Amino acid sequence: MASLPLINHHHVSLLYALQSTTANTPKVFNDSPSSMAPLPHSLISHQHPNIQSAPPKSYGKVSERSTAHEETGDLKQESQLNFQAWRLGVETNTLRSWTVVPPECVEYVKSYMVGTGSQYGRDSYMVAKESMAYINSVKLSGDGKDAWVFDVDETLLSSLPFFAGHQYGGEGMDDDAFIKWADLAEAPPLPASRSFYAHLLELGLKIFLLTGRYDYERSATEKNLGRAGYHSWEALLMRDPEDYEKSAMLYKSERRLKIEQDGFRIVGNSGDQWSDLTGYAVGDRTFKLPNPLYYVA
């Protein structure tokens, strides 16, 4: 199986638009494979908002309109730079324990998640591609004990439809509202992750789903995963009452250790939070998916 390409007719295309059972769902991917083509001019212009058209002609001093236009461009550039610096801090685990997307970053989070070309979709695709290259290079035991651990939200399923109604993280995380939304079982899949998941099953790996969701959400979670095209997992591990007050890092470390104690070898571990990938019993290699929407310690 080492020669299996990332994209083939057996898998759902990694580049399709995120689909939801609800209307007007923001899309992570464009509707066609062209989303992986070189950045379109509109996206490049968005990334460099200081690129302005020629200012209106004026005779003598610079017109007030031109000056205001340049000041607006400077402010947009500063906001973009602030967002890039903030997101770098988030993705490298430099910024920790943040509870809300800064107001000046909200529009850029939206643009990153659903804008032209969807950089979020491209970043997720890159993680899946590297995960695929890695597992194809691993010599598996073939004894049924090789395992991969996945987080669920923002790793296999996307909560983007929920956060689109909550200022893309600008309102902070409302746990009760999220649980009610998750109970609808309508979260769409991340296409790149779903295709990689299917490849792992073809290779014979055992898949463990390790989520921070609570045990009373099991029925809705299983229903949502099935609707999104996920199946045949070894176990869906959720927080039991004794886990409710534990940090995500401790809870997930304990569950991964139990997987290893049961005789499985965790050859890979995918998650969108650093608390999914740190602690102990993290596996042979970890893969971090992007998430500028919320932070879980």
Side-chain angles (χ1 to χ4, degrees), residues 56-63:
K57 291 181 179 181
S58 64
Y59 298 92
K61 64 179 181 179
V62 177
S63 70

Side-chain angles (χ1 to χ4, degrees), residues 182-244:
D183 194 51
L184 299 175
E186 294 178 346
L190 282 167
S193 295
R194 183 173 59 183
S195 190
F196 176 58
Y197 180 105
H199 183 58
L200 292 178
L201 289 178
E202 289 183 356
L203 292 177
L205 274 79
K206 302 298 183 182
I207 295 179
F208 290 84
L209 308 184
L210 178 52
T211 176
R213 294 189 183 193
Y214 300 107
D215 55 345
Y216 56 80
E217 299 178 88
R218 180 174 297 277
S219 178
T221 302
E222 291 178 341
K223 181 179 181 180
N224 200 157
L225 287 164
R227 283 179 170 179
Y230 298 103
H231 58 87
S232 305
W233 55 80
E234 184 72 11
L236 171 59
L237 306 175
M238 311 184 77
R239 285 181 184 264
D240 293 324
E242 60 267 25
D243 300 316
Y244 288 179

Side-chain angles (χ1 to χ4, degrees), residues 138-156:
V138 173
K139 185 176 181 180
L140 301 174
S141 66
D143 62 358
K145 292 296 184 178
D146 295 314
W148 197 284
V149 175
F150 283 101
D151 173 53
V152 172
D153 295 302
E154 275 55 68
T155 301
L156 297 180

Side-chain angles (χ1 to χ4, degrees), residues 4-218:
L4 184 67
L6 181 61
I7 303 175
N8 60 69
H9 66 280
H10 294 296
H11 296 160
V12 177
S13 171
L14 299 179
L15 309 177
Y16 281 171
L18 262 174
Q19 298 296 322
S20 171
T21 56
T22 58
N24 301 319
T25 299
K27 292 183 177 181
V28 172
F29 292 89
N30 282 343
D31 289 329
S32 69
S34 63
S35 64
M36 294 307 294
L39 294 178
H41 176 71
S42 59
L43 182 58
I44 295 173
S45 297
H46 173 75
Q47 290 179 328
H48 300 279
N50 59 311
I51 299 176
Q52 304 290 343
S53 58
K57 291 181 179 181
S58 64
Y59 298 92
K61 64 179 181 179
V62 177
S63 70
E64 291 182 0
R65 178 181 177 187
S66 175
T67 301
H69 187 66
E70 291 172 355
E71 289 177 351
T72 300
D74 290 342
L75 289 174
K76 287 183 177 180
Q77 180 184 28
E78 182 179 357
S79 295
Q80 173 72 336
L81 292 174
N82 286 343
F83 166 65
Q84 291 173 345
W86 177 80
R87 192 169 73 86
L88 176 65
V90 167
E91 297 300 349
T92 58
N93 206 28
T94 301
L95 293 177
R96 303 183 183 186
S97 301
W98 54 277
T99 58
V100 64
V101 173
E104 65 270 25
C105 293
V106 169
E107 284 302 312
Y108 288 98
V109 169
K110 177 181 178 180
S111 178
Y112 169 75
M113 299 294 291
V114 302
T116 303
S118 183
Q119 188 61 46
Y120 173 64
R122 297 185 186 196
D123 291 347
S124 299
Y125 172 87
M126 181 275 293
V127 176
K129 183 177 180 181
E130 290 304 308
S131 302
M132 184 78 77
Y134 162 69
I135 196 59
N136 285 343
S137 72
V138 173
K139 185 176 181 180
L140 301 174
S141 66
D143 62 358
K145 292 296 184 178
D146 295 314
W148 197 284
V149 175
F150 283 101
D151 173 53
V152 172
D153 295 302
E154 275 55 68
T155 301
L156 297 180
L157 300 177
S158 172
S159 306
L160 186 55
F162 172 80
F163 284 98
H166 294 269
Q167 291 296 305
Y168 295 91
E171 294 180 1
M173 186 64 174
D174 185 334
D175 289 337
D176 291 338
F178 182 81
I179 289 172
K180 289 179 180 179
W181 177 80
D183 194 51
L184 299 175
E186 294 178 346
L190 282 167
S193 295
R194 183 173 59 183
S195 190
F196 176 58
Y197 180 105
H199 183 58
L200 292 178
L201 289 178
E202 289 183 356
L203 292 177
L205 274 79
K206 302 298 183 182
I207 295 179
F208 290 84
L209 308 184
L210 178 52
T211 176
R213 294 189 183 193
Y214 300 107
D215 55 345
Y216 56 80
E217 299 178 88
R218 180 174 297 277

